[in-house]
Amino acid sequence: MAQLSYSSATSDVPLLGDTVGANFDRAVAAHGDREALVDRPSGRRWTYRSLAAEVDSVAAGLVASGVEVGDRVGIWSPNRAEWVVVQYATARIGAILVTVNPAYRVHELEYVLNQSGVRTLFAAASFKTSDCAGMIAEVRPRCAALRQVVLFDSPEWTELHAEPLPEWPELSADDPINIQYTSGTTGFPKGATLSHHNILNNGFFVGELLGYTEDDRICVPVPFYHCFGMVMGNLAATSHGACVVIPAPAFEPAATLRAVAEERCTSLYGVPTMFIAELAEADFDSYDLSSLRTGIMAGSPCPVEVMKQVVDRMGMREVSICYGMTETSPVSTQTRRDDSLDRRVSTVGRVGPHLEVKVVDPGTGRTVPRGTPGELCTRGYSVMRGYWEQPDKTAEAIDPARWMHTGDLAVMDDEGYITITGRIKDMVIRGGENLYPREIEEFLHTHPDVVDAQVVGVPDAKYGEELMAWVRMRPGTEPLTAESLRSFCAGKLAHHKIPRYVHVVDEFPMTVTGKVRKVEMRRQAIRILDLPIDAARHA
């Protein structure tokens, strides 16, 4: 009988039963004089002891302003030290931190504040070209629950600080502590509600598999508003007594490389597009990256060629691929430090400690044999409590047995390693053939003149769908054409997998977290190609 695509992982290390605040207290007691946080743009530094004093002062100020256990406190800001302070201060008093995407505009901001019932909002006065203070003023009259707005770098922030309380509220590790809004492709975003237990354990076990100790210094250029920054970054660090280094408010490749070199960072995070941008810096070889040991590449499929360069040129010999989603706190699978290079460049690793994964037939829900593609599902401590005040949406994502259905297509091999082959919704059906963009993108990355490639499906009268490749070219090279692409692919890719259309761009449509927005690419492709076909499936 064929072995089924199911895997679980035990661990000699038990799950943590702490709240975030209690775990932070342990770190402060053990590592009080060690550096905990470096904010390079402002030049400020904190030890664990001085960071705890700042956290407790803000926590006390929130209590004095009337914030109670379970109240929602929003934060709308790019990366900065105050973001970290607010994260741990709200955890200390049991308020639920609502993390708001810095790229949101008035319509989205108003929806999130109202849907979650934010009572207090921390925010940057501005971000890039966005007048955040002006947008808050516009929506505030329409947000009934919003009672207090605290802008960073303002008297309100300074005045919020208060003397720490002799006793903090009594909390449970299962209490909700964070609402993160998923960037849905249709309709309004949904608020994934996560507990202390969810995110503290996920950060801790990701750090365990990376081998973190108090000697590690983690460069975090990914946004804090997302799990990648606040869980895999901040919580993985503080649960091990390590240091978080903020290179810039938003991702800048040169600033990130400088931070690694000058702060002697041992770990670096990023989505693939970030690593691609760093490797493409003209003076890349001038940065001393010899301190790097490990790091995480995650957020979207990681091209094999990029991963090899990260290992060879950046010296990240123990770099890990992590896979997950906001709804699972986020990491479900991870490559290990002793995995072969082939495993680390071609899979997203194995299931994490204390978790389960399975691959099922999307139609029947039955677990498929190993080696057979299907939808990846995960279960365990990491699965969210649900979508905030949306039980119907929760029931669509989490089945009665508490399996979270990811919507991702995956294959599990005989040793339990998972390969993500794409999103169910990204799969292209051409003339009845199921085509997986990831496979074609990996091949295009072997073209010597291609920096990055993304493949989407576009409507076609004959085949239902056709493939279109969006490519970024190396400077000074000839743009790829449909004809030259066919020549490159001939004899190497099956004919039906060769993209019919090619579009050369300087950059792809991106989310603020660095994920490629394929839905937007499809919309643009339909306009670019002037397709007179009903494109409802792609809109």
Side-chain angles (χ1 to χ4, degrees), residues 76 101 131 134 150 198 205 218 249 263 286 392 407 454 539:
W76 190 35
N101 186 330
D131 176 11
V150 179
N198 289 150
F205 279 102
I218 308 165
E263 298 293 338
S286 69
D392 55 333
Q454 299 291 329

Side-chain angles (χ1 to χ4, degrees), residues 422-504:
R423 294 285 292 168
I424 290 176
K425 64 187 179 186
D426 287 342
M427 185 176 69
V428 178
I429 304 175
R430 180 188 182 277
E433 292 272 359
N434 292 347
L435 305 180
Y436 302 100
R438 172 75 189 277
E439 175 191 1
I440 301 161
E441 290 161 358
E442 291 285 3
F443 177 75
L444 295 180
H445 270 272
T446 66
H447 192 292
D449 297 338
V450 170
V451 172
D452 200 358
Q454 299 291 329
V455 174
V456 297
V458 296
D460 184 76
K462 182 177 181 180
Y463 294 105
E465 288 187 277
E466 265 290 6
L467 295 172
M468 180 179 186
W470 289 46
V471 295
R472 292 176 51 221
M473 308 299 296
R474 298 193 187 283
T477 59
E478 287 292 321
L480 200 63
T481 65
E483 184 178 350
S484 59
L485 175 63
R486 277 194 296 273
S487 297
F488 178 73
C489 296
K492 302 170 189 171
L493 272 186
H495 173 73
H496 64 281
K497 295 180 182 179
I498 299 175
R500 178 177 175 182
Y501 307 106
V502 175
H503 182 49
V504 177

Side-chain angles (χ1 to χ4, degrees), residues 242-305:
C243 178
V244 170
V245 176
I246 304 172
F251 175 65
E252 298 174 22
T256 301
L257 293 170
R258 280 196 303 272
V260 170
E262 295 173 11
E263 298 293 338
R264 309 307 295 152
C265 292
T266 59
S267 178
L268 172 62
Y269 291 0
V271 298
T273 51
M274 292 180 176
F275 285 102
I276 289 169
E278 290 155 9
L279 290 160
E281 281 291 292
D283 59 348
F284 174 85
D285 291 329
S286 69
Y287 295 97
D288 179 3
L289 308 181
S290 60
S291 59
L292 281 176
R293 169 182 69 83
T294 188
I296 297 173
M297 194 188 297
S300 59
C302 307
V304 172
E305 293 303 314

